[in-house]
């Protein structure tokens, strides 16, 4: 049965939304991080250990090719993850 009760933590007067991503990291993760950086948004990422260790051939916003572990480090450094 679905409840109609609304559970609020924090102030109901401040508009917030929680964003969570079930992510690899994958080739699209750097682009998602770019959007969060651009708008100053935060999110929680759930990563797969096997994907963190992979050498993902993808480019970040600087054009540099990055690995899964570098993507996770970037998210942590930017306070997103």
């Amino acid at each position: 049965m679905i409840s109609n009760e609304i559970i609020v933590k924090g102030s109901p007067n401040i508009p917030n939304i929680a964003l969570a991503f079930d992510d690899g990291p994958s080739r699209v993760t750097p682009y998602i991080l770019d959007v969060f950086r651009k708008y100053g948004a935060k999110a929680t990422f759930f990563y797969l250990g096997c994907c963190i260790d992979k050498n993902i051939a993808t480019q970040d916003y600087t054009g540099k090719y990055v690995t899964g572990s570098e993507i996770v480090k970037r998210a942590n450094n930017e306070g997103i993850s």
Side-chain angles (χ1 to χ4, degrees):
M1 178 176 200
I2 298 175
S3 172
N4 289 329
E5 180 183 2
I6 297 175
I7 300 171
V8 177
K9 293 187 182 224
S11 174
N13 299 320
I14 299 173
N16 288 315
I17 187 167
L19 299 173
F21 286 87
D22 211 356
D23 193 37
S26 67
R27 293 179 177 189
V28 299
T29 308
Y31 301 104
I32 295 169
L33 295 176
D34 292 344
V35 172
F36 285 121
R37 185 179 356 91
K38 178 179 178 179
Y39 292 101
K42 305 290 180 192
T44 300
F45 283 77
F46 297 93
Y47 298 116
L48 297 173
C50 62
C51 292
I52 293 171
D53 292 336
K54 283 184 180 177
N55 289 323
I56 300 170
T58 190
Q59 290 179 299
D60 67 5
Y61 68 99
T62 67
K64 175 187 164 196
Y65 283 92
V66 293
T67 64
S69 61
E70 290 172 319
I71 294 169
V72 172
K73 287 177 189 174
R74 175 185 163 196
N76 287 332
N77 289 340
E78 294 180 7
I80 293 173
S81 201

